[in-house]
Amino acid sequence: MRLPFHDNLLRFLLIIVVSWVIFYAMMSSATRWTVETYIPWSFNLLHCLVNVGVLGGGYPLAAPNGLLPKLFTGNNRFLVGVFMSGLTVGFAVLLSLFYIHVWPGVPLFPGPGAWFGIGLFLATLWWALDIVPTLGKYYNENIHPILKMVLGLVVCGLMAVALFQFVDYEGPTVIHDSNPHGPMKGGRWFGQAVIIIVYVQMFAYPLCLQGWPFTQLMLPTPWNQLAISGACVFCGYATFELALKAGVPASTLSDTWGSSAISWSLFHSIAFDFWPYNAMTQPIRGYYSFILTQLVIPFFWVFMCRIILFPIYHKMVTNNPLYGELFSLDRMIPWFSLHVTAPLLLFHHLFFMRWPLPPSGPPMTPNETYSEPLVHYSSMPRFKLESQQQQQQEQQQ
């Protein structure tokens, strides 16, 4: 069900407020655990959220592939959300323990956990949002959700390990046994991966351009998948290199514009159903969505985050002055946007099914449209009687 804009806005603002409170509490009471454990571990959480919620379709309980939809209707969606959230967090913990202690043996902090995690995040979004929607009717309708999740875990895990071979550790972990001694220092690799993710989401079928222009090319498999992948890598690499040549530090580019563009391509689709361009079809909707979510909103989002996150940054530096030397205020932007707000929004959207609001339907398709006024006056109490009287008069005439 598509909600009017003011309902979506209220829900999003509540999630922002709750995210800020949670982030502040984490930095106040468990600063070291938040920075050194939760932030790098949350890449595994994001993978599991997408794996279970998108690839698995909410299996085993949540919509659309849940086994027990009749037992969990109405307000009982809250119970589904609690169970599925706990299941996903447990999945992420086990996955993280495997990557740390079994293979490839990457420590969480300082550095390697994030350098490996960003590769896992890139692989997950690429597979779930760019590749799977192109695999055809047989995959999407005939393969069991468990097999889809297992396949996603294997493909994304192997791809993350392969991408990790580009990394060369820097800092105190440079002599760690898991160092692949790749061609790119950790910080540069992280920035490059973030910018590639910007384009992975930009071309993604549920987000921004919704697969355009590849939906118009009608290329057969595997050329379609290779074209999408090549475009993401080329555009991400070119943007990153041009920014570096213009004097923009890699960390600044990824912490500010990169993280904001990734966040808002997700927020615009999941939280707002492409408003105010939901009455348009692709590619016009994509053009305007690109300008809004990749250029305009990131500017204001960075400015706002620097203001609202300063108290949290101050709390972090007060509790551990060393973090003030390692991290700038801008580093709080991706932590807040992608490691706190995005998981909270996805938990609510995928597993709680927007409880207590009406559950959402599938993502908008490229040619799907819907339009609604900014305010539904007929739904407001003081206008109900007038609306009913007007309808009666029209029927009499």
Side-chain angles (χ1 to χ4, degrees):
M1 178 180 180
R2 308 299 179 192
L3 295 177
F5 170 73
H6 55 307
D7 286 348
N8 285 327
L9 179 61
L10 178 59
R11 173 195 178 216
F12 182 71
L13 291 177
L14 286 174
I15 288 176
I16 291 293
V17 171
V18 173
S19 299
W20 188 94
V21 172
I22 291 174
F23 197 28
Y24 184 85
M26 291 168 65
M27 281 299 187
S28 299
S29 58
T31 305
R32 184 173 180 180
W33 175 84
T34 301
V35 174
E36 300 184 12
T37 301
Y38 172 76
I39 295 298
W41 169 80
S42 60
F43 285 108
N44 297 287
L45 177 63
L46 289 166
H47 164 78
C48 293
L49 270 166
V50 174
N51 199 341
V52 176
V54 178
L55 296 178
Y59 186 88
L61 293 182
N65 293 333
L67 292 177
L68 304 173
K70 294 182 180 179
L71 295 181
F72 295 98
T73 57
N75 291 335
N76 288 325
R77 284 182 288 141
F78 179 80
L79 300 179
V80 175
V82 171
F83 177 85
M84 291 299 300
S85 298
L87 183 69
T88 303
V89 170
F91 181 19
V93 170
L94 292 177
L95 185 64
S96 182
L97 291 174
F98 178 86
Y99 287 142
I100 295 171
H101 298 292
V102 180
W103 184 72
V106 179
L108 283 180
F109 189 84
W115 301 330
F116 178 80
I118 195 65
L120 179 63
F121 188 41
L122 191 162
T124 302
L125 296 175
W126 167 80
W127 177 252
L129 305 182
D130 290 350
I131 302 303
V132 165
T134 69
L135 295 183
K137 183 177 180 179
Y138 179 82
Y139 172 90
N140 289 293
E141 296 184 3
N142 298 315
I143 297 181
H144 195 277
I146 292 181
L147 293 180
K148 291 180 180 180
M149 289 188 284
V150 171
L151 182 61
L153 177 63
V154 172
V155 169
C156 296
L158 291 177
M159 185 174 175
V161 173
L163 291 173
F164 192 58
Q165 305 312 305
F166 285 95
V167 178
D168 185 18
Y169 289 4
E170 52 186 337
T173 55
V174 68
I175 60 173
H176 196 274
D177 292 339
S178 64
N179 189 352
H181 298 290
M184 301 176 70
K185 290 297 183 181
R188 181 184 177 90
W189 154 250
F190 190 92
Q192 176 67 87
V194 167
I195 304 307
I196 292 177
I197 291 174
V198 170
Y199 289 95
V200 167
Q201 291 205 164
M202 188 184 303
F203 292 121
Y205 280 78
L207 311 176
C208 201
L209 296 175
Q210 296 187 279
W212 189 88
F214 306 101
T215 51
Q216 305 300 313
L217 298 178
M218 304 296 291
L219 297 174
T221 301
W223 301 111
N224 186 34
Q225 292 82 358
L226 289 173
I228 296 172
S229 305
C232 294
V233 173
F234 174 78
C235 293
Y237 177 80
T239 302
F240 186 74
E241 291 298 324
L242 289 173
L244 292 184
K245 290 182 179 180
V248 180
S251 59
T252 301
L253 180 66
S254 61
D255 289 345
T256 54
W257 176 72
S259 67
S260 301
I262 294 170
S263 301
W264 273 97
S265 63
L266 173 69
F267 297 161
H268 191 223
S269 172
I270 297 296
F272 294 103
D273 288 323
F274 290 104
W275 188 92
Y277 311 124
N278 39 35
M280 304 175 182
T281 59
Q282 295 290 354
I284 303 301
R285 180 199 296 160
Y287 297 156
Y288 286 109
S289 296
F290 169 80
I291 294 172
L292 182 69
T293 64
Q294 310 297 296
L295 300 176
V296 177
I297 291 183
F299 175 81
F300 294 99
W301 182 251
V302 169
F303 178 77
M304 185 198 77
C305 284
R306 284 172 175 168
I307 295 174
I308 67 172
L309 296 178
F310 181 78
I312 302 178
Y313 180 75
H314 182 264
K315 179 66 68 174
M316 180 187 75
V317 174
T318 301
N319 292 344
N320 193 328
L322 177 62
Y323 293 153
E325 301 177 8
L326 296 176
F327 308 113
S328 67
L329 174 61
D330 285 345
R331 182 60 55 87
M332 309 295 285
I333 299 174
W335 288 359
F336 176 72
S337 303
L338 294 173
H339 297 268
V340 181
T341 304
L344 195 62
L345 175 64
L346 289 173
F347 274 126
H348 186 250
H349 193 84
L350 297 174
F351 300 148
F352 287 86
M353 293 168 279
R354 295 200 303 196
W355 178 89
L357 296 170
S360 63
M364 290 184 66
T365 61
N367 293 321
E368 178 187 354
T369 63
Y370 83 97
S371 59
E372 45 89 13
L374 184 61
V375 178
H376 289 271
Y377 292 105
S378 61
S379 65
M380 299 175 66
R382 61 178 178 176
F383 289 104
K384 281 186 177 179
L385 180 59
E386 295 177 5
S387 178
Q388 292 173 357
Q389 291 175 345
Q390 183 178 0
Q391 292 177 0
Q392 292 175 356
Q393 292 176 358
E394 291 176 354
Q395 291 176 357
Q396 291 174 356
Q397 294 176 357

